Amino acid sequence: MKKIYFSDCEEIITAVKKYLEACNKGDSSIMAPYFHKDAVIFWGGMEPDKHSHEIQGFFDAMDETGQDTDPNPPYHIDILDITETTAVTKVVEEWQGQTFTDYHTFIKTPDGWRITAKIFHTHEEVQA
């Protein structure tokens, strides 16, 4: 069990890092293999219905936004929970000069761990 658990954790972290790499480069093709084909994206803001996407809409928006001006933006990844077939991660990252918190849900498929949903929050800039 332990060996499987740790390899699952590593695979999930790899998927999140590929997601972050794709965001940084503005290239959804890097993250696409790590998303389930029916994945969805939701913004946890004031108008969540206005900012929800099927996965292809999210990929298109990512590609249109392009490469981040910061070549190495900071991030932090936590695995909040993991079972034999499901997992949830939390990622705090800077992207395009803005700070986000993302929650990704995963499912273990015969082809490996895939992100099924992403819900995110955009943090307001705090003026000192």
Side-chain angles (χ1 to χ4, degrees):
M1 175 63 184
K2 285 183 185 178
K3 204 174 221 183
I4 292 171
Y5 172 81
F6 290 115
S7 66
D8 284 342
C9 288
E10 288 176 18
E11 188 176 342
I12 289 165
I13 295 295
T14 296
V16 173
K17 285 183 176 180
K18 286 296 185 180
Y19 161 79
L20 292 167
E21 177 186 348
C23 289
N24 192 38
K25 292 181 177 178
D27 182 356
S28 68
S29 69
I30 297 167
M31 71 172 81
Y34 299 93
F35 277 81
H36 188 277
K37 67 178 179 63
D38 297 320
V40 293
I41 310 298
F42 284 93
W43 176 50
M46 297 295 288
E47 300 178 73
D49 291 337
K50 183 178 177 183
H51 298 281
S52 62
H53 303 280
E54 293 179 359
I55 193 60
Q56 189 57 55
F58 175 68
F59 291 162
D60 293 345
M62 177 66 51
D63 293 337
E64 288 172 18
T65 301
Q67 188 166 345
D68 196 329
T69 56
D70 183 346
N72 295 303
Y75 66 85
H76 180 81
I77 302 168
D78 289 308
I79 295 178
L80 300 179
D81 198 12
I82 184 171
T83 68
E84 289 83 4
T85 59
T86 62
V88 178
T89 62
K90 176 184 177 184
V91 181
V92 178
E93 78 227 47
E94 285 190 18
W95 180 66
Q96 301 289 346
Q98 187 74 42
T99 303
F100 295 88
T101 297
D102 295 345
Y103 296 93
H104 297 103
T105 59
F106 284 79
I107 190 163
K108 189 171 188 178
T109 72
D111 296 322
W113 288 94
R114 298 294 181 262
I115 299 169
T116 59
K118 168 188 151 152
I119 187 167
F120 68 98
H121 172 79
T122 307
H123 294 273
E124 296 292 325
E125 299 245 358
V126 177
Q127 302 298 322

mmCIF file of all heavy atoms in Angstrom, residues 23-57:
data_model
loop_
_atom_site.group_PDB
_atom_site.id
_atom_site.type_symbol
_atom_site.label_atom_id
_atom_site.label_comp_id
_atom_site.label_asym_id
_atom_site.label_seq_id
_atom_site.Cartn_x
_atom_site.Cartn_y
_atom_site.Cartn_z
ATOM 1 N N CYS A 23 0.644 26.904 -17.664
ATOM 2 C CA CYS A 23 0.195 28.269 -17.366
ATOM 3 C C CYS A 23 1.329 29.257 -17.624
ATOM 4 O O CYS A 23 1.133 30.296 -18.259
ATOM 5 C CB CYS A 23 -0.269 28.385 -15.916
ATOM 6 S SG CYS A 23 -1.816 27.536 -15.563
ATOM 7 N N ASN A 24 2.511 28.928 -17.130
ATOM 8 C CA ASN A 24 3.656 29.823 -17.260
ATOM 9 C C ASN A 24 4.042 30.044 -18.728
ATOM 10 O O ASN A 24 4.386 31.150 -19.121
ATOM 11 C CB ASN A 24 4.848 29.277 -16.473
ATOM 12 C CG ASN A 24 5.952 30.294 -16.325
ATOM 13 O OD1 ASN A 24 5.691 31.478 -16.148
ATOM 14 N ND2 ASN A 24 7.184 29.841 -16.409
ATOM 15 N N LYS A 25 3.941 29.001 -19.522
ATOM 16 C CA LYS A 25 4.330 29.106 -20.932
ATOM 17 C C LYS A 25 3.172 29.519 -21.833
ATOM 18 O O LYS A 25 3.384 29.769 -23.021
ATOM 19 C CB LYS A 25 4.914 27.776 -21.405
ATOM 20 C CG LYS A 25 6.247 27.461 -20.752
ATOM 21 C CD LYS A 25 6.827 26.158 -21.237
ATOM 22 C CE LYS A 25 8.196 25.936 -20.602
ATOM 23 N NZ LYS A 25 8.769 24.647 -21.018
ATOM 24 N N GLY A 26 1.948 29.549 -21.285
ATOM 25 C CA GLY A 26 0.791 29.882 -22.109
ATOM 26 C C GLY A 26 0.530 28.842 -23.178
ATOM 27 O O GLY A 26 0.131 29.167 -24.291
ATOM 28 N N ASP A 27 0.745 27.568 -22.830
ATOM 29 C CA ASP A 27 0.641 26.477 -23.801
ATOM 30 C C ASP A 27 -0.165 25.328 -23.195
ATOM 31 O O ASP A 27 0.373 24.497 -22.463
ATOM 32 C CB ASP A 27 2.044 26.014 -24.186
ATOM 33 C CG ASP A 27 2.052 24.909 -25.227
ATOM 34 O OD1 ASP A 27 0.968 24.422 -25.618
ATOM 35 O OD2 ASP A 27 3.162 24.523 -25.642
ATOM 36 N N SER A 28 -1.448 25.281 -23.519
ATOM 37 C CA SER A 28 -2.325 24.263 -22.925
ATOM 38 C C SER A 28 -1.962 22.841 -23.317
ATOM 39 O O SER A 28 -2.340 21.898 -22.625
ATOM 40 C CB SER A 28 -3.778 24.544 -23.302
ATOM 41 O OG SER A 28 -3.985 24.337 -24.688
ATOM 42 N N SER A 29 -1.227 22.664 -24.405
ATOM 43 C CA SER A 29 -0.879 21.296 -24.823
ATOM 44 C C SER A 29 -0.025 20.590 -23.781
ATOM 45 O O SER A 29 0.003 19.360 -23.733
ATOM 46 C CB SER A 29 -0.176 21.305 -26.179
ATOM 47 O OG SER A 29 1.124 21.879 -26.082
ATOM 48 N N ILE A 30 0.655 21.347 -22.930
ATOM 49 C CA ILE A 30 1.475 20.749 -21.871
ATOM 50 C C ILE A 30 0.585 20.150 -20.786
ATOM 51 O O ILE A 30 0.875 19.077 -20.246
ATOM 52 C CB ILE A 30 2.432 21.795 -21.265
ATOM 53 C CG1 ILE A 30 3.411 22.293 -22.332
ATOM 54 C CG2 ILE A 30 3.176 21.233 -20.048
ATOM 55 C CD1 ILE A 30 4.194 23.533 -21.933
ATOM 56 N N MET A 31 -0.522 20.828 -20.460
ATOM 57 C CA MET A 31 -1.396 20.357 -19.387
ATOM 58 C C MET A 31 -2.489 19.414 -19.867
ATOM 59 O O MET A 31 -3.013 18.628 -19.082
ATOM 60 C CB MET A 31 -2.019 21.524 -18.626
ATOM 61 C CG MET A 31 -3.075 22.299 -19.378
ATOM 62 S SD MET A 31 -3.956 23.511 -18.371
ATOM 63 C CE MET A 31 -2.827 24.872 -18.362
ATOM 64 N N ALA A 32 -2.854 19.482 -21.129
ATOM 65 C CA ALA A 32 -3.997 18.722 -21.646
ATOM 66 C C ALA A 32 -3.968 17.232 -21.300
ATOM 67 O O ALA A 32 -4.999 16.679 -20.908
ATOM 68 C CB ALA A 32 -4.135 18.932 -23.151
ATOM 69 N N PRO A 33 -2.828 16.548 -21.391
ATOM 70 C CA PRO A 33 -2.837 15.118 -21.082
ATOM 71 C C PRO A 33 -3.173 14.798 -19.617
ATOM 72 O O PRO A 33 -3.508 13.662 -19.299
ATOM 73 C CB PRO A 33 -1.400 14.667 -21.390
ATOM 74 C CG PRO A 33 -0.835 15.718 -22.268
ATOM 75 C CD PRO A 33 -1.527 16.992 -21.900
ATOM 76 N N TYR A 34 -3.120 15.788 -18.746
ATOM 77 C CA TYR A 34 -3.352 15.569 -17.317
ATOM 78 C C TYR A 34 -4.786 15.894 -16.905
ATOM 79 O O TYR A 34 -5.143 15.737 -15.740
ATOM 80 C CB TYR A 34 -2.349 16.384 -16.500
ATOM 81 C CG TYR A 34 -0.940 15.949 -16.815
ATOM 82 C CD1 TYR A 34 -0.191 16.594 -17.794
ATOM 83 C CD2 TYR A 34 -0.383 14.851 -16.180
ATOM 84 C CE1 TYR A 34 1.083 16.166 -18.120
ATOM 85 C CE2 TYR A 34 0.891 14.414 -16.501
ATOM 86 C CZ TYR A 34 1.617 15.075 -17.473
ATOM 87 O OH TYR A 34 2.880 14.640 -17.793
ATOM 88 N N PHE A 35 -5.598 16.355 -17.847
ATOM 89 C CA PHE A 35 -7.000 16.653 -17.588
ATOM 90 C C PHE A 35 -7.884 15.567 -18.182
ATOM 91 O O PHE A 35 -7.613 15.066 -19.280
ATOM 92 C CB PHE A 35 -7.399 18.005 -18.208
ATOM 93 C CG PHE A 35 -7.062 19.188 -17.352
ATOM 94 C CD1 PHE A 35 -5.783 19.709 -17.335
ATOM 95 C CD2 PHE A 35 -8.031 19.777 -16.550
ATOM 96 C CE1 PHE A 35 -5.468 20.806 -16.550
ATOM 97 C CE2 PHE A 35 -7.728 20.871 -15.760
ATOM 98 C CZ PHE A 35 -6.444 21.387 -15.756
ATOM 99 N N HIS A 36 -8.944 15.229 -17.480
ATOM 100 C CA HIS A 36 -9.964 14.327 -18.012
ATOM 101 C C HIS A 36 -10.657 15.043 -19.168
ATOM 102 O O HIS A 36 -10.842 16.268 -19.124
ATOM 103 C CB HIS A 36 -10.963 13.985 -16.908
ATOM 104 C CG HIS A 36 -11.926 12.920 -17.291
ATOM 105 N ND1 HIS A 36 -13.067 13.193 -18.019
ATOM 106 C CD2 HIS A 36 -11.922 11.586 -17.057
ATOM 107 C CE1 HIS A 36 -13.723 12.071 -18.198
ATOM 108 N NE2 HIS A 36 -13.060 11.082 -17.634
ATOM 109 N N LYS A 37 -11.064 14.316 -20.168
ATOM 110 C CA LYS A 37 -11.688 14.929 -21.357
ATOM 111 C C LYS A 37 -12.965 15.686 -21.022
ATOM 112 O O LYS A 37 -13.360 16.592 -21.748
ATOM 113 C CB LYS A 37 -11.954 13.878 -22.432
ATOM 114 C CG LYS A 37 -13.002 12.846 -22.048
ATOM 115 C CD LYS A 37 -13.261 11.850 -23.165
ATOM 116 C CE LYS A 37 -14.284 10.827 -22.781
ATOM 117 N NZ LYS A 37 -15.613 11.336 -22.506
ATOM 118 N N ASP A 38 -13.625 15.348 -19.922
ATOM 119 C CA ASP A 38 -14.867 16.009 -19.519
ATOM 120 C C ASP A 38 -14.669 16.966 -18.348
ATOM 121 O O ASP A 38 -15.636 17.340 -17.679
ATOM 122 C CB ASP A 38 -15.929 14.970 -19.164
ATOM 123 C CG ASP A 38 -16.306 14.095 -20.348
ATOM 124 O OD1 ASP A 38 -16.419 14.633 -21.469
ATOM 125 O OD2 ASP A 38 -16.477 12.876 -20.160
ATOM 126 N N ALA A 39 -13.440 17.378 -18.101
ATOM 127 C CA ALA A 39 -13.147 18.262 -16.964
ATOM 128 C C ALA A 39 -13.848 19.609 -17.121
ATOM 129 O O ALA A 39 -14.167 20.038 -18.233
ATOM 130 C CB ALA A 39 -11.637 18.466 -16.840
ATOM 131 N N VAL A 40 -14.077 20.267 -15.983
ATOM 132 C CA VAL A 40 -14.709 21.586 -15.963
ATOM 133 C C VAL A 40 -13.889 22.530 -15.091
ATOM 134 O O VAL A 40 -13.130 22.098 -14.223
ATOM 135 C CB VAL A 40 -16.158 21.532 -15.441
ATOM 136 C CG1 VAL A 40 -17.051 20.777 -16.407
ATOM 137 C CG2 VAL A 40 -16.213 20.923 -14.054
ATOM 138 N N ILE A 41 -14.081 23.830 -15.344
ATOM 139 C CA ILE A 41 -13.371 24.877 -14.623
ATOM 140 C C ILE A 41 -14.408 25.863 -14.087
ATOM 141 O O ILE A 41 -15.307 26.274 -14.830
ATOM 142 C CB ILE A 41 -12.408 25.641 -15.566
ATOM 143 C CG1 ILE A 41 -11.519 24.690 -16.365
ATOM 144 C CG2 ILE A 41 -11.594 26.673 -14.802
ATOM 145 C CD1 ILE A 41 -10.606 23.821 -15.556
ATOM 146 N N PHE A 42 -14.269 26.245 -12.812
ATOM 147 C CA PHE A 42 -15.159 27.242 -12.223
ATOM 148 C C PHE A 42 -14.356 28.291 -11.485
ATOM 149 O O PHE A 42 -13.378 27.970 -10.800
ATOM 150 C CB PHE A 42 -16.137 26.598 -11.225
ATOM 151 C CG PHE A 42 -17.249 25.848 -11.879
ATOM 152 C CD1 PHE A 42 -17.124 24.489 -12.111
ATOM 153 C CD2 PHE A 42 -18.407 26.496 -12.276
ATOM 154 C CE1 PHE A 42 -18.143 23.788 -12.714
ATOM 155 C CE2 PHE A 42 -19.430 25.794 -12.882
ATOM 156 C CZ PHE A 42 -19.304 24.433 -13.100
ATOM 157 N N TRP A 43 -14.780 29.533 -11.629
ATOM 158 C CA TRP A 43 -14.208 30.636 -10.872
ATOM 159 C C TRP A 43 -15.057 30.828 -9.637
ATOM 160 O O TRP A 43 -16.282 30.914 -9.725
ATOM 161 C CB TRP A 43 -14.201 31.898 -11.725
ATOM 162 C CG TRP A 43 -13.721 33.131 -11.035
ATOM 163 C CD1 TRP A 43 -12.570 33.264 -10.315
ATOM 164 C CD2 TRP A 43 -14.350 34.413 -11.022
ATOM 165 N NE1 TRP A 43 -12.440 34.549 -9.853
ATOM 166 C CE2 TRP A 43 -13.542 35.278 -10.274
ATOM 167 C CE3 TRP A 43 -15.520 34.909 -11.570
ATOM 168 C CZ2 TRP A 43 -13.851 36.608 -10.061
ATOM 169 C CZ3 TRP A 43 -15.829 36.232 -11.357
ATOM 170 C CH2 TRP A 43 -14.991 37.067 -10.605
ATOM 171 N N GLY A 44 -14.440 30.929 -8.476
ATOM 172 C CA GLY A 44 -15.159 31.112 -7.227
ATOM 173 C C GLY A 44 -15.423 32.566 -6.922
ATOM 174 O O GLY A 44 -15.364 32.967 -5.775
ATOM 175 N N GLY A 45 -15.700 33.367 -7.925
ATOM 176 C CA GLY A 45 -15.928 34.798 -7.734
ATOM 177 C C GLY A 45 -17.409 35.140 -7.645
ATOM 178 O O GLY A 45 -18.255 34.291 -7.402
ATOM 179 N N MET A 46 -17.706 36.391 -7.877
ATOM 180 C CA MET A 46 -19.062 36.893 -7.741
ATOM 181 C C MET A 46 -20.009 36.373 -8.826
ATOM 182 O O MET A 46 -21.202 36.336 -8.630
ATOM 183 C CB MET A 46 -19.059 38.427 -7.764
ATOM 184 C CG MET A 46 -18.294 39.051 -6.610
ATOM 185 S SD MET A 46 -19.059 38.715 -5.021
ATOM 186 C CE MET A 46 -20.502 39.749 -5.136
ATOM 187 N N GLU A 47 -19.483 36.011 -9.989
ATOM 188 C CA GLU A 47 -20.320 35.544 -11.094
ATOM 189 C C GLU A 47 -19.805 34.188 -11.594
ATOM 190 O O GLU A 47 -19.300 34.078 -12.708
ATOM 191 C CB GLU A 47 -20.297 36.552 -12.230
ATOM 192 C CG GLU A 47 -20.819 37.930 -11.849
ATOM 193 C CD GLU A 47 -20.711 38.891 -13.012
ATOM 194 O OE1 GLU A 47 -21.504 38.743 -13.955
ATOM 195 O OE2 GLU A 47 -19.824 39.763 -12.957
ATOM 196 N N PRO A 48 -19.957 33.126 -10.791
ATOM 197 C CA PRO A 48 -19.359 31.847 -11.190
ATOM 198 C C PRO A 48 -19.900 31.291 -12.498
ATOM 199 O O PRO A 48 -19.162 30.657 -13.242
ATOM 200 C CB PRO A 48 -19.677 30.915 -10.016
ATOM 201 C CG PRO A 48 -20.782 31.575 -9.279
ATOM 202 C CD PRO A 48 -20.644 33.040 -9.518
ATOM 203 N N ASP A 49 -21.160 31.553 -12.823
ATOM 204 C CA ASP A 49 -21.693 31.037 -14.082
ATOM 205 C C ASP A 49 -21.084 31.734 -15.289
ATOM 206 O O ASP A 49 -20.970 31.160 -16.359
ATOM 207 C CB ASP A 49 -23.216 31.172 -14.116
ATOM 208 C CG ASP A 49 -23.878 30.232 -13.127
ATOM 209 O OD1 ASP A 49 -23.252 29.224 -12.749
ATOM 210 O OD2 ASP A 49 -25.024 30.511 -12.733
ATOM 211 N N LYS A 50 -20.701 32.986 -15.118
ATOM 212 C CA LYS A 50 -20.092 33.743 -16.203
ATOM 213 C C LYS A 50 -18.669 33.261 -16.482
ATOM 214 O O LYS A 50 -18.159 33.418 -17.587
ATOM 215 C CB LYS A 50 -20.077 35.230 -15.828
ATOM 216 C CG LYS A 50 -19.535 36.131 -16.901
ATOM 217 C CD LYS A 50 -19.604 37.575 -16.480
ATOM 218 C CE LYS A 50 -19.003 38.478 -17.525
ATOM 219 N NZ LYS A 50 -18.994 39.877 -17.102
ATOM 220 N N HIS A 51 -18.035 32.680 -15.511
ATOM 221 C CA HIS A 51 -16.629 32.301 -15.643
ATOM 222 C C HIS A 51 -16.410 30.804 -15.494
ATOM 223 O O HIS A 51 -15.399 30.371 -14.968
ATOM 224 C CB HIS A 51 -15.789 33.057 -14.613
ATOM 225 C CG HIS A 51 -15.848 34.532 -14.803
ATOM 226 N ND1 HIS A 51 -15.122 35.175 -15.768
ATOM 227 C CD2 HIS A 51 -16.569 35.487 -14.182
ATOM 228 C CE1 HIS A 51 -15.372 36.479 -15.723
ATOM 229 N NE2 HIS A 51 -16.257 36.691 -14.770
ATOM 230 N N SER A 52 -17.346 30.007 -15.951
ATOM 231 C CA SER A 52 -17.145 28.560 -15.958
ATOM 232 C C SER A 52 -16.874 28.128 -17.395
ATOM 233 O O SER A 52 -17.325 28.762 -18.339
ATOM 234 C CB SER A 52 -18.365 27.834 -15.393
ATOM 235 O OG SER A 52 -19.501 28.080 -16.184
ATOM 236 N N HIS A 53 -16.117 27.080 -17.531
ATOM 237 C CA HIS A 53 -15.723 26.620 -18.864
ATOM 238 C C HIS A 53 -15.693 25.105 -18.903
ATOM 239 O O HIS A 53 -15.299 24.469 -17.934
ATOM 240 C CB HIS A 53 -14.292 27.071 -19.219
ATOM 241 C CG HIS A 53 -14.055 28.529 -19.178
ATOM 242 N ND1 HIS A 53 -14.429 29.369 -20.197
ATOM 243 C CD2 HIS A 53 -13.470 29.303 -18.252
ATOM 244 C CE1 HIS A 53 -14.073 30.604 -19.897
ATOM 245 N NE2 HIS A 53 -13.493 30.595 -18.715
ATOM 246 N N GLU A 54 -16.038 24.580 -20.029
ATOM 247 C CA GLU A 54 -15.637 23.215 -20.302
ATOM 248 C C GLU A 54 -14.144 23.290 -20.533
ATOM 249 O O GLU A 54 -13.600 24.363 -20.804
ATOM 250 C CB GLU A 54 -16.367 22.671 -21.522
ATOM 251 C CG GLU A 54 -17.858 22.506 -21.270
ATOM 252 C CD GLU A 54 -18.590 21.983 -22.492
ATOM 253 O OE1 GLU A 54 -17.951 21.757 -23.548
ATOM 254 O OE2 GLU A 54 -19.804 21.812 -22.390
ATOM 255 N N ILE A 55 -13.478 22.192 -20.472
ATOM 256 C CA ILE A 55 -12.014 22.205 -20.470
ATOM 257 C C ILE A 55 -11.439 22.869 -21.722
ATOM 258 O O ILE A 55 -10.455 23.604 -21.641
ATOM 259 C CB ILE A 55 -11.435 20.788 -20.246
ATOM 260 C CG1 ILE A 55 -9.958 20.869 -19.931
ATOM 261 C CG2 ILE A 55 -11.706 19.875 -21.414
ATOM 262 C CD1 ILE A 55 -9.640 21.667 -18.696
ATOM 263 N N GLN A 56 -12.037 22.676 -22.889
ATOM 264 C CA GLN A 56 -11.474 23.266 -24.100
ATOM 265 C C GLN A 56 -11.523 24.792 -24.046
ATOM 266 O O GLN A 56 -10.592 25.454 -24.496
ATOM 267 C CB GLN A 56 -12.180 22.754 -25.359
ATOM 268 C CG GLN A 56 -11.475 23.176 -26.634
ATOM 269 C CD GLN A 56 -10.023 22.723 -26.700
ATOM 270 O OE1 GLN A 56 -9.725 21.538 -26.559
ATOM 271 N NE2 GLN A 56 -9.103 23.655 -26.914
ATOM 272 N N GLY A 57 -12.565 25.354 -23.453
ATOM 273 C CA GLY A 57 -12.640 26.803 -23.293
ATOM 274 C C GLY A 57 -11.520 27.330 -22.422
ATOM 275 O O GLY A 57 -10.949 28.395 -22.689
#
